[in-house]
Amino acid sequence: MDSYEIVILGAGISGLSTAAFLNKQGKETLILEKRDKVGGVLSSKEIDGFTFDFSANSTVEKYESFQKLIQWAELEDQLLIANKNASKKYLYRDQEIHALDGPLSYIFTKLLSFKSKCRVLKEPFISPRKEKEDETMKDFVTRRFGQEFLDYTLNPLVAGVYAGDPKDLSMQAAYPEMAAMETEHGSVIKGSYHTIKAKRKAYKNGAFKPSKNIMSLQKGMNQLPKRIAKKLSPQLILKSKVTKIEKVESGYIITYTKDDKDYLVKAKKLISTLPAYKLSKLLSTMSPSLSKELDNIFYPPVATLNLGYHKEQIGRKLDSFGFLVPEKARLKYLGALWSSTIFDHRAPKDHASFTLFLGGSRNQEILQNDLRKWVNETIKEFSEIMMIDGEPKTKCFKLRERAIPQYNLGYMDFKKELDLFHLANPNFIISGNFVGGNSVSDCINNAEKIAKSLS
Ligand SMILES: Cc1cc2nc3c(=O)[nH]c(=O)nc-3n(C[C@H](O)[C@H](O)[C@H](O)COP(=O)(O)OP(=O)(O)OC[C@H]3O[C@@H](n4cnc5c(N)ncnc54)[C@H](O)[C@@H]3O)c2cc1C
């Protein structure tokens, strides 16, 4: 049996970037990946001259770790930064899309009624909640900002981030900074003011100031995991499905299946970046309580619909990141990114491309429906908003039955179990997009933290 210092399970962006940061520290790893390709949910393809992404189209540069990884991967010349007009976002209400471009735009927007705007301005004067227990985002936002603000602002925004539903999402797990603003400053608006002030002071004292740029790569988001894998290739075994993990005195024995044969490897340190529901099965004997909590993490279905048109077909001015749709609108999709407006090189000359997201927590019934009909209705609804004439020149549809982990109410119970597991198993690190944030930037930042903890 081969023996390794560190074995990483899963070659999505979490697993690969952990291996990359460890490699930067001079540490060798072995990565085991079930599929015949890397990137996990990150996948991109060039079709008819369009570059389509089938999950993340971009990520926001929130941490220093993103640039460090890009440098290690020698991809600086491949980076794309979103065009200026991508800072403008639209939210849908009453058959129209309403622009939001910075906090002041909330004052003038027709997205919210005068009554709702007054209700939002009352927020600093609303007493903080006394109970310490977690609550849903729906309860938090209605309590502090009112129902209309929840329905037409936060509801579509969380659909854009988590494909989630505010009535299920946990405030402490999904939006801990916002929850803390109420506890520490008595109000979100007051808390935001203090946070901005504290950050400005920290930046003056030399703390890293995130660019908050929206980033991608010339060939789509999958270019990043592909390049990392190329640089690490001898340490990566594809088509190897992990089927068993056993704890032994000096580490862990991992069984994986490749070409119908079972193999064993020994790891002194083990890092799992497998989806929660996959890891749950592997931990059913070692830790039944954590296994149960992992299984409780809900992953709704999410589909991407990539559309390519000739610009002459589109009546609406392409001047934004795209728009998000509130649940109340009852449309067939969650929102649309204006992909070729955000980044150059996404569509052939005189063409435009869009990525629409379907499904999510609010539309789980997509799984039981006639998908062809669902897609056609989506295109019809989208064409009306965008004033599009005719059919798309190119379209591509991809459905993931279990797509994005939800940081729902009850997540803090999982977190407690996870902390207990890590105390009992200091050489078995559980990571991935269901721990510490689900954006690509979060996954990369967590990877760097893990590598540092092993240095
Ligand atoms: C539709 C969609 C849109 C998104 N949009 C954005 C966005 O705009 N911006 C953003 O920043 N993020 C976005 N995200 C989130 C982000 O893309 C993901 O959270 C992130 O890529 C997850 O990476 P991961 O490595 O943690 O997990 P995964 O990508 O799920 O990787 C896990 C890996 O483990 C492997 N595996 C599973 N079982 C086994 C086994 N038994 N043995 C071996 N290997 C196994 C899988 O094959 C996979 O490669 C989006 C996600 C989705 C689905």
Side-chain angles (χ1 to χ4, degrees):
M1 181 181 12
D2 289 336
S3 197
Y4 293 85
E5 179 68 25
I6 306 171
V7 173
I8 298 175
L9 312 183
I13 194 63
S14 295
L16 287 171
S17 45
T18 307
F21 284 114
L22 285 165
N23 175 280
K24 208 166 167 247
Q25 289 172 199
K27 291 200 168 66
E28 293 285 293
T29 51
L30 173 75
I31 312 165
L32 298 172
E33 165 58 45
K34 181 181 78 170
R35 297 168 75 206
D36 61 355
K37 51 186 165 199
V38 297
V41 298
L42 287 186
S43 67
S44 325
K45 208 171 186 177
E46 207 180 303
I47 302 170
D48 301 338
F50 293 94
T51 304
F52 288 144
D53 279 298
F54 305 126
S55 60
N57 276 235
S58 62
T59 199
V60 180
E61 190 186 0
K62 290 192 272 184
Y63 318 98
E64 223 174 343
S65 46
F66 181 78
Q67 285 296 346
K68 287 188 196 165
L69 184 66
I70 293 291
Q71 277 163 18
W72 177 89
E74 298 167 274
L75 280 171
E76 293 98 321
D77 63 335
Q78 296 294 302
L79 260 191
L80 292 179
I81 300 179
N83 293 320
K84 285 256 169 325
N85 51 15
S87 67
K88 184 185 196 177
K89 291 168 181 95
Y90 287 104
L91 295 181
Y92 178 93
R93 181 173 186 176
D94 301 334
Q95 281 77 52
E96 195 37 87
I97 52 175
H98 303 268
L100 289 178
D101 196 0
L104 279 184
S105 59
Y106 279 92
I107 299 173
F108 304 105
T109 181
K110 287 184 181 153
L111 177 72
L112 298 171
S113 67
F114 180 69
K115 201 173 152 203
S116 170
K117 287 178 193 172
C118 293
R119 176 66 181 78
V120 170
L121 292 175
K122 260 174 74 182
E123 195 271 342
F125 309 102
I126 290 173
S127 312
R129 180 171 169 258
K130 292 202 177 59
E131 297 84 0
K132 292 269 176 289
E133 308 88 70
D134 197 6
E135 65 180 326
T136 64
M137 176 170 215
K138 174 178 181 273
D139 288 346
F140 181 93
V141 176
T142 17
R143 202 163 49 69
R144 300 220 58 87
F145 296 99
Q147 185 72 40
E148 191 178 330
F149 187 77
L150 171 81
D151 289 342
Y152 293 100
T153 306
L154 266 304
N155 177 293
L157 289 175
V158 299
V161 177
Y162 287 99
D165 190 329
K167 77 172 171 17
D168 302 319
L169 283 168
S170 143
M171 238 5 243
Q172 283 181 17
Y175 291 93
E177 283 165 13
M178 212 199 284
M181 284 175 187
E182 182 183 44
T183 351
E184 285 162 28
H185 302 282
S187 137
V188 177
I189 293 179
K190 282 190 214 161
S192 308
Y193 169 75
H194 286 286
T195 311
I196 294 169
K197 237 173 87 178
K199 279 188 182 165
R200 278 201 189 132
K201 200 172 159 197
Y203 300 149
K204 265 193 184 162
N205 293 334
F208 169 75
K209 186 177 180 201
S211 73
K212 297 269 175 81
N213 278 332
I214 300 167
M215 317 290 279
S216 188
L217 292 132
Q218 302 264 359
K219 293 181 181 153
M221 288 296 282
N222 184 248
Q223 192 175 356
L224 180 56
K226 261 187 166 166
R227 173 61 74 92
I228 301 175
K230 200 171 171 199
K231 288 196 73 167
L232 296 170
S233 59
Q235 299 159 245
L236 170 67
I237 313 182
L238 295 175
K239 295 196 266 178
S240 53
K241 182 180 175 186
V242 176
T243 52
K244 197 172 166 190
I245 304 171
E246 271 173 283
K247 190 175 180 176
V248 289
E249 213 182 306
S250 53
Y252 296 89
I253 294 179
I254 301 118
T255 310
Y256 67 91
T257 311
K258 186 174 168 65
D259 303 327
D260 295 327
K261 267 169 84 182
D262 279 351
Y263 296 86
L264 300 182
V265 283
K266 194 167 165 202
K268 270 196 194 153
K269 294 190 169 83
L270 181 59
I271 302 169
S272 169
T273 68
L274 306 184
Y277 55 91
K278 299 272 184 188
L279 182 64
S280 160
K281 292 193 177 67
L282 297 169
L283 292 187
S284 58
T285 315
M286 196 190 302
S287 176
S289 50
L290 181 61
S291 167
K292 189 167 159 269
E293 289 295 343
L294 284 164
D295 201 36
N296 284 341
I297 296 178
F298 172 56
Y299 286 66
V302 180
T304 47
L305 175 62
N306 300 84
L307 301 173
Y309 293 93
H310 196 284
K311 276 190 177 161
E312 277 179 356
Q313 293 178 269
I314 307 163
R316 192 174 277 282
K317 189 175 169 200
L318 296 175
D319 61 352
S320 143
F321 189 79
F323 64 90
L324 289 162
V325 177
E327 189 172 0
K328 286 219 162 214
R330 303 215 166 281
L331 296 190
K332 287 280 176 204
Y333 61 109
L334 305 171
L337 298 180
W338 298 0
S339 313
S340 61
T341 310
I342 306 172
F343 296 113
D344 298 338
H345 313 294
R346 285 290 181 256
K349 191 171 177 292
D350 299 327
H351 287 71
S353 65
F354 305 92
T355 309
L356 279 61
F357 294 94
L358 288 65
S361 293
R362 76 163 81 140
N363 275 335
Q364 293 168 49
E365 71 269 21
I366 191 172
L367 288 179
Q368 282 82 47
N369 265 265
D370 176 347
L371 287 177
R372 189 181 293 266
K373 198 167 156 227
W374 195 294
V375 166
N376 287 340
E377 283 175 32
T378 299
I379 294 177
K380 191 166 168 272
E381 289 174 352
F382 177 68
S383 299
E384 272 167 28
I385 296 171
M386 299 300 293
M387 299 183 272
I388 289 174
D389 193 17
E391 291 301 308
K393 304 274 173 229
T394 304
K395 69 176 175 200
C396 207
F397 177 78
K398 179 163 179 66
L399 172 68
R400 288 192 169 81
E401 293 193 6
R402 298 176 98 172
I404 302 179
Q406 299 297 298
Y407 289 57
N408 280 348
L409 203 65
Y411 182 93
M412 300 318 280
D413 297 331
F414 153 70
K415 193 68 186 36
K416 269 185 215 147
E417 277 300 331
L418 182 67
D419 291 345
L420 288 174
F421 180 86
H422 280 150
L423 274 179
N425 295 275
N427 291 323
F428 188 160
I429 299 171
I430 294 176
S431 180
N433 59 353
F434 59 93
V435 187
N438 77 1
S439 76
V440 171
S441 285
D442 292 326
C443 295
I444 295 172
N445 194 48
N446 288 333
E448 190 185 19
K449 281 190 199 156
I450 292 171
K452 275 187 186 155
S453 76
L454 299 177
S455 63

